[in-house]
């Protein structure tokens, strides 16, 4: 169905097979099958409503599939706390009375277990995570006082504090200025040596091509899933984006008029 | 100076005023802490509806016990917990929007309560007692119930502090961390229900939402930490309880209304002060 790389590394971090998910009464994903290798960084691209968020939430175990299955390191996602989910910034209540460090500590809720309060060790982990994303000096700030890029880095720190091995990011770059986007992408680059597997939903085909090992082109089904140069062909893109895509000069250069629909805006104080 | 101390001390020479003060402070603290979640999760309407929904339960208890008020707490508690979990269930499994279905249930149950109470001869007095509370008639026995059940609520909030915070801030994170989301949501509903039952005598059904929301909202304007918000809210609520009862004593206004009005004035002062300082 799509170019599938068959070489299995030991156990796949993530194996999705014949996944069909209905969301709000519609088929959001249909017969999606793929797997990820450990430490791989993958971009999911596709038009609005293609099912990118649904796929991410199903892998996270937040949505239940109608059929098919998701396996994380060989078992269902329900039992795994190693999945770091990084939400779209527009879905967050930024006026919630918590500091940056509080939010990052939330990532440790599961590891801490019930009736347990953060120990010295947990605060050390939180502090290290904040240092990694260069927010250590802002740890006591209320979260609305961060810029868009800093807010995104805070959530990455939370996934680090969670000791996530699979990071799922829903449009982390949307609405950020270019330097902030670069900052996030550089951060992801550094995760490669730690073997953190990363899956990012994005609108930006250029960034997907230049920063990720593989690209998944999604429109309810997987149109293509391979290395960037094998995915970003006119045929594939037309199948994914349909009429919303305009070929430029009949070449492989394409532009989409598909963009962030969330009305994102940075608020910096 | 001595006159001021006399002025402060005079009401406390009455035992019913002492009990009322203790009740108002205890209820204020419990409402403020639970109310912080109500405010942050946008559940004000749910809290208001829940308070009104328990009226038929209270009315039934009132009729069954032949007018005795001591057993009413248990009727209120039972109805509140059933109503809270029931509303939770309805809003989850309905094609109608959540606030609409809550509205239907709440108004219907409230009407049923009024209908039941209206069968009694002393209808108007009893109804107003349930609607607006009467903290000055709190018995020692009721005070113990408030202390025990309020204490349980606070203990559970303390025990599940990080879970409730994570769930309220980011439900999807809570799910990916495999926290027991359904259990925690229902637990929170049950805690709100217990709080409503505990507060019944102080502010009554109709003013309950003010105790849940107003002190917590006042604190929300002043802090960026959840724990601080809870403590500030508790302080505002206790103070409103005490000042409200003095107002009630000296101006002979209804106690529940006096407490709620004081809390509202606190909110307005902080709100205006924030606006002025923000400029």
């Amino acid at each position: 169905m799509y170019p599938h790389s068959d070489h299995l590394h030991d156990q796949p971090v993530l194996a999705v097979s014949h996944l069909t998910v209905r969301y709000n009464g519609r088929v959001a994903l249909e017969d999606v099958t793929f797997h990820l290798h450990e430490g791989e960084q993958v971009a999911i691209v596709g038009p609005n409503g293609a099912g990118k968020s649904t796929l991410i939430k199903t892998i996270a175990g937040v949505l239940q599939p109608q059929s098919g299955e998701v396996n994380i390191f060989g078992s269902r996602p329900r039992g795994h706390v190693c999945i770091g989910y990084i939400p779209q910034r527009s879905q967050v209540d930024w006026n919630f009375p918590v500091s940056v460090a509080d939010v990052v500590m939330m990532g440790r809720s599961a590891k801490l277990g019930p009736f347990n309060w953060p120990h010295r060790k947990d605060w050390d982990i939180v502090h290290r995570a904040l240092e990694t994303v260069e927010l250590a000096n802002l740890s006591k700030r209320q979260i609305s006082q961060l810029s868009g890029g800093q807010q995104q880095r805070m959530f990455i720190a939370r996934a680090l504090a969670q000791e996530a091995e699979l990071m799922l990011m829903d449009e982390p770059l949307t609405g950020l200025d270019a330097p902030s986007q670069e900052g996030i992408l550089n951060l992801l680059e550094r995760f490669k040596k730690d073997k953190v597997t990363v899956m990012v939903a994005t609108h930006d085909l250029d960034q997907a091509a230049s920063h990720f090992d593989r690209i998944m082109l999604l429109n309810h089904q997987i149109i293509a899933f391979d290395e960037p140069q094998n995915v970003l062909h006119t045929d594939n893109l037309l199948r994914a984006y349909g009429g919303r895509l305009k070929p430029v000069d009949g070449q492989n250069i394409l532009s989409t008029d598909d963009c962030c629909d969330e009305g994102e805006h940075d608020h910096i104080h | 100076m001595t006159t001021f101390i006399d002025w402060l001390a005079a009401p406390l020479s009455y035992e019913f005023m002492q009990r009322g003060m203790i009740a108002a402070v205890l209820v204020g603290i419990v409402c403020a802490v639970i109310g912080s979640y109500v405010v942050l999760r946008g559940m004000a309407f749910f809290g208001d509806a829940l308070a009104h929904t328990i009226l038929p339960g209270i009315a039934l208890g009132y009729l069954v016990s032949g007018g005795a008020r001591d057993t009413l707490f248990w009727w209120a508690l039972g109805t509140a917990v059933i109503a809270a979990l029931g509303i939770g269930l309805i809003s989850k499994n309905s094609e109608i929007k959540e606030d609409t279905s809550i509205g239907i249930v709440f108004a219907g149950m409230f009407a049923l309560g009024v209908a039941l109470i209206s069968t009694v001869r002393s209808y108007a007095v009893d109804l107003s007692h349930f609607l607006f509370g009467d903290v000055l008639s709190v018995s020692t026995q009721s005070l113990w119930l408030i202390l025990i059940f309020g204490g349980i609520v606070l203990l559970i909030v303390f025990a599940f502090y990080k879970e409730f915070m994570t769930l309220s801030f980011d439900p999807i994170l809570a799910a990916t961390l495999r926290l027991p989301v359904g259990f925690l949501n229902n637990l929170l509903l049950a805690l709100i229900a217990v709080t409503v039952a505990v507060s019944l005598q102080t502010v009554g059904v109709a003013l309950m939402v003010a105790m849940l929301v107003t002190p917590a909202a006042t604190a929300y304007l002043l802090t960026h930490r959840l724990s601080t918000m809870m403590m500030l809210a508790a302080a505002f609520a206790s103070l409103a309880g005490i000042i409200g009862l003095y107002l009630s004593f000296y101006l002979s206004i209804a106690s529940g209304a006096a407490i709620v009005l004081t809390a509202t004035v606190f909110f307005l002062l902080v709100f205006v002060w924030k606006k002025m300082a923000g400029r």
Side-chain angles (χ1 to χ4, degrees), chain B residues 18-77:
Chain B
Q18 293 171 7
R19 285 198 301 267
M21 289 276 179
I22 297 171
V25 169
L26 288 177
V27 164
I29 291 170
V30 179
C31 280
V33 170
I34 280 294
S36 297
Y37 289 120
V38 173
V39 166
L40 291 174
R41 299 172 59 119
M43 296 171 79
F45 182 61
F46 170 83
D48 193 26
L50 182 62
H52 283 79
T53 306
I54 67 172
L55 192 64
I58 308 167
L60 203 62
Y62 192 54
L63 295 178
V64 168
S65 66
R69 284 174 180 176
D70 277 345
T71 56
L72 287 187
F73 173 81
W74 301 106
W75 287 91
L77 185 68

Side-chain angles (χ1 to χ4, degrees), chain B:
Chain B
M1 193 61 201
T2 45
T3 48
F4 181 63
I5 290 171
D6 287 343
W7 188 86
L8 283 181
L12 295 177
S13 59
Y14 298 98
E15 268 184 40
F16 68 87
M17 277 300 283
Q18 293 171 7
R19 285 198 301 267
M21 289 276 179
I22 297 171
V25 169
L26 288 177
V27 164
I29 291 170
V30 179
C31 280
V33 170
I34 280 294
S36 297
Y37 289 120
V38 173
V39 166
L40 291 174
R41 299 172 59 119
M43 296 171 79
F45 182 61
F46 170 83
D48 193 26
L50 182 62
H52 283 79
T53 306
I54 67 172
L55 192 64
I58 308 167
L60 203 62
Y62 192 54
L63 295 178
V64 168
S65 66
R69 284 174 180 176
D70 277 345
T71 56
L72 287 187
F73 173 81
W74 301 106
W75 287 91
L77 185 68
T79 327
V81 172
I82 292 169
L85 301 179
I87 291 175
L89 206 66
I90 288 173
S91 52
K92 218 179 296 169
N93 305 315
S94 172
E95 287 168 39
I96 303 171
K97 279 210 168 113
E98 180 173 352
D99 60 338
T100 307
S101 51
I102 292 177
I104 293 168
V105 173
F106 137 47
M109 292 290 275
F110 188 64
L112 178 64
V114 174
L116 285 172
I117 298 171
S118 69
T119 60
V120 182
R121 209 151 41 85
S122 55
Y123 161 58
V125 178
D126 294 331
L127 185 64
S128 82
H129 176 89
F130 297 138
L131 287 188
F132 307 116
D134 184 9
V135 71
L136 299 181
S137 71
V138 169
S139 65
T140 312
Q141 193 202 350
S142 305
L143 213 51
W144 278 110
L145 288 175
I146 292 173
L147 188 66
I148 291 167
F149 281 85
I152 292 173
V153 169
L154 293 181
L155 215 62
I156 294 177
V157 168
F158 183 77
F160 290 99
Y161 181 79
K162 68 177 188 302
E163 283 84 0
F164 281 138
M165 179 162 83
T166 302
L167 180 64
S168 302
F169 176 65
D170 190 344
I172 294 181
L173 175 74
T176 56
L177 290 176
R178 316 304 172 206
L179 300 180
V181 173
F183 166 77
L184 289 171
N185 273 325
N186 284 327
L187 181 63
L188 190 63
L189 295 183
L191 290 180
I192 298 174
V194 175
T195 305
V196 164
V198 160
S199 322
L200 181 70
Q201 263 199 304
T202 312
V203 284
V205 161
L207 295 172
M208 189 86 66
V209 68
M211 289 310 285
L212 285 174
V213 166
T214 310
T218 313
Y220 177 73
L221 294 177
L222 292 173
T223 176
H224 294 315
R225 292 299 295 280
L226 178 59
S227 50
T228 318
M229 175 177 166
M230 287 176 167
M231 284 185 268
L232 265 180
F236 279 124
S238 312
L239 210 57
I242 293 168
I243 296 176
L245 280 193
Y246 275 105
L247 292 176
S248 168
F249 185 83
Y250 282 112
L251 304 176
S252 351
I253 46 180
S255 54
I259 293 170
V260 169
L261 278 176
T262 312
T264 311
V265 169
F266 284 162
F267 176 81
L268 288 175
L269 287 176
V270 170
F271 185 79
V272 170
W273 176 73
K274 278 280 283 189
K275 284 272 172 234
M276 308 269 275
R279 258 188 262 166

Side-chain angles (χ1 to χ4, degrees), chain A residues 22-248:
Chain A
R22 286 174 183 279
Y23 193 59
N24 289 337
R26 289 191 189 159
V27 176
L29 294 172
E30 201 180 346
D31 201 26
V32 168
T33 300
F34 70 95
H35 65 264
L36 300 188
H37 311 302
E38 199 172 356
E40 202 177 17
Q41 304 207 339
V42 167
I44 313 172
V45 296
N48 288 326
K52 300 191 290 287
S53 293
T54 306
L55 178 59
I56 284 181
K57 283 180 184 159
T58 311
I59 294 169
V62 177
L63 292 177
Q64 296 308 315
Q66 260 58 50
S67 60
E69 61 184 56
V70 174
N71 282 298
I72 313 282
F73 290 112
S75 63
R76 295 296 170 83
R78 269 270 150 240
H80 289 277
V81 293
C82 62
I83 306 171
Y85 173 85
I86 291 160
Q88 291 188 16
R89 282 187 306 124
S90 59
Q91 293 181 351
V92 175
D93 174 9
W94 291 105
N95 289 316
F96 202 91
V98 280
S99 69
V100 173
D102 287 336
V103 171
V104 177
M105 183 57 86
M106 284 182 198
R108 299 207 57 76
S109 303
K111 284 250 160 54
L112 276 168
F115 312 115
N116 207 348
W117 292 75
H119 303 288
R120 173 93 228 169
K121 185 194 87 182
D122 300 294
W123 286 113
D124 287 346
I125 290 171
V126 165
H127 191 73
R128 272 204 302 279
L130 283 169
E131 271 177 348
T132 304
V133 303
E134 291 165 17
L135 285 178
N137 55 333
L138 301 178
S139 66
K140 292 202 162 60
R141 291 273 183 92
Q142 202 273 333
I143 53 176
S144 67
Q145 293 169 351
L146 300 183
S147 72
Q150 291 167 337
Q151 290 174 340
Q152 209 64 58
R153 297 206 314 262
M154 172 185 76
F155 282 126
I156 293 174
R158 187 175 75 177
L160 291 176
Q162 188 188 334
E163 298 170 44
E165 290 171 64
L166 172 60
M167 250 188 232
L168 305 171
M169 307 172 80
D170 202 350
E171 314 259 0
L173 304 171
T174 301
L176 298 184
D177 56 19
S180 301
Q181 295 193 359
E182 244 356 90
I184 306 275
L185 290 167
N186 289 337
L187 207 50
L188 294 184
E189 197 71 35
R190 292 169 53 188
F191 292 156
K192 282 188 179 163
K193 71 168 174 16
D194 300 324
K195 290 277 184 189
V196 176
T197 310
V198 176
M199 207 172 183
V200 173
T202 178
H203 280 287
D204 194 318
L205 293 177
D206 284 338
Q207 273 168 345
S210 54
H211 288 87
F212 292 87
D213 303 324
R214 285 199 287 168
I215 294 180
M216 176 187 294
L217 196 54
L218 188 73
N219 192 1
H220 304 301
Q221 302 176 327
I222 292 179
I223 309 288
F225 185 27
D226 204 342
E227 288 165 12
Q229 67 270 22
N230 298 331
V231 169
L232 299 180
H233 290 308
T234 318
D235 290 352
N236 284 339
L237 292 169
L238 278 173
R239 278 173 65 204
Y241 287 88
R244 276 181 282 181
L245 187 92
K246 304 181 198 75
V248 180

